[in-house]
Amino acid sequence: MKYPSVLVASALASFVLVSGTAEAQDYDLVILNGRVMDPETLYDGIANVGISDGRIVEISKEPLSGTKEIDASGHIVGPGFIDTHFHWQQPMGYSIGLRDGLTTSLDIEEGCAGTIIAEWYESRAGVTQANYGCASSHEQARAIVLDGFSDKEILLHGPAAALEIRKGSGWSLTEADYDTGNEILRIIDKGLQDGGLGIGSTLGYMRDGVTSREMFEVQKVAARYGRHTAVHTRFTPDNATFENLGLQEIIANALALDAPATINHYNNPGWRLGHELIQRLQEQGYNIWGEIYPYAAGSTALNAVFLKPENWVDRLGHSYEDTLQDPVTGDFYTLESYNKAVEETPTKEIVLFKMPPEDSLKWLTLKGTTMASDAMFAEPLLAPWNTPFEELGNMHPRGAGARAATLRLGRENDIPMMQLLSILSYNAAHHLGRTGLKAMQERGRIQEGMVADIVVFDPEIVTDNSTYDQGSIPSTGFKAVIVNGEVTVRDDELLEVFAGQPIRFEPEAGPRFEPVSEEAWNREFSTGMPDVAPGIPPKGGN
């Protein structure tokens, strides 16, 4: 039986509250008359959505009523956006993302140190506005072992710990021997034991220190748990030949281990080949996927190994004057100013122009990929969630606007909305769900029984407002952003609601770590080597 609603005036005309009555209401929240779109089933129709206890209970063309009602006429009702590559895992970072439709904010590239993942999750419980999650970090494990980095307070910053870690060099340049290598793997394994999403590897920043053998062993750690390894590949960014060699390294390892893998931001030279390789493997059933974002420029730290003049200028033929920009001043670097800044502020964020602008539109049409923003930080890093945006330092615009930019570009170029919703939400949920991650098996979809992470936006006006000059300006056009059934953004205004939930695996009682040794390898992969494998008779023996 459906009960009639008694409507009261709302503080905002588009968001209608129902007054308390003697009769119980059907749902906690209903979304009325919106164009409901589900990328998994391809459902696309005008319908009403009933939500209770944080889940979608009913999708119906019949009238529904609830304690709160949103009139979504003329709006799209889609799954909340999932970003698997969002580095600013801090209150203001979540705040910026939510204003852009982001309901689930994950970092699967830099990740968090395996030693503190449990505490990292605990520190966000009940005080976080978006869903949150982290991978176990390859880079940070190397910094702990090879540089002796031990500042727990900094490590609890999660991905942002890289701003301090990268002031050292062992994590990037030192090759690990068996003892140090096993300790690195042990720390990574600890992060998975404590529920980390997988392994995040910034291999492209460690290309001179991480051997191909170490990278294989890192992926092997994830494979024991059935989880994926997400990698900024060895030669990213580079030319079309080397870029794809790095991609092929990770894919070959994944296939040998029968393990999932993510290729981070492959929207670089040679992207067509990279995408075809990934697409063909998906068609064969492999859980391998890649990310793109709709910008011609990336962002990184000034002392990134691939920006050294002998590589970026001498080998690849770029010039700092038209590729390397200071986001704060807007000035481009010269060789002289680059060398000076590397000495004084080695981990300063820069914007790196590296691809033709027209390519950014093409990436949005790719099948089976995900839009992952690679969102960086603005100062102050630890700003409260309600800090005015104009008080933030500048940053790459993708942190504040990548999702709305995807929708705007799609509108301007007739890219199907279902494709856009797939790359913004469902595809990430699908691939992570296949690794056994329950939280992603019930998100990224508008279906009865699923978690109510939902975006309601006007497809005709939704837009990004952030630019390279002003990178933290919020997007507009979102009538509502709903996190676990709670309205967190209403008519483009962020509310004081902290409904974010942890996205993680259940912690396990013990590790799955297995130390690497030459002796163990010889026993498994040879018919026996003298003085190593037991049971092999010595020369001249019986």
Side-chain angles (χ1 to χ4, degrees), residues 162-185:
L163 297 173
E164 293 299 318
I165 281 171
R166 292 183 179 182
K167 292 177 180 178
S169 62
W171 68 273
S172 175
L173 300 177
T174 302
E175 289 190 15
D177 57 23
Y178 277 110
D179 289 338
T180 55
N182 278 320
E183 188 56 28
I184 290 166
L185 298 178

Side-chain angles (χ1 to χ4, degrees), residues 5 313 540:
S5 300
V313 178

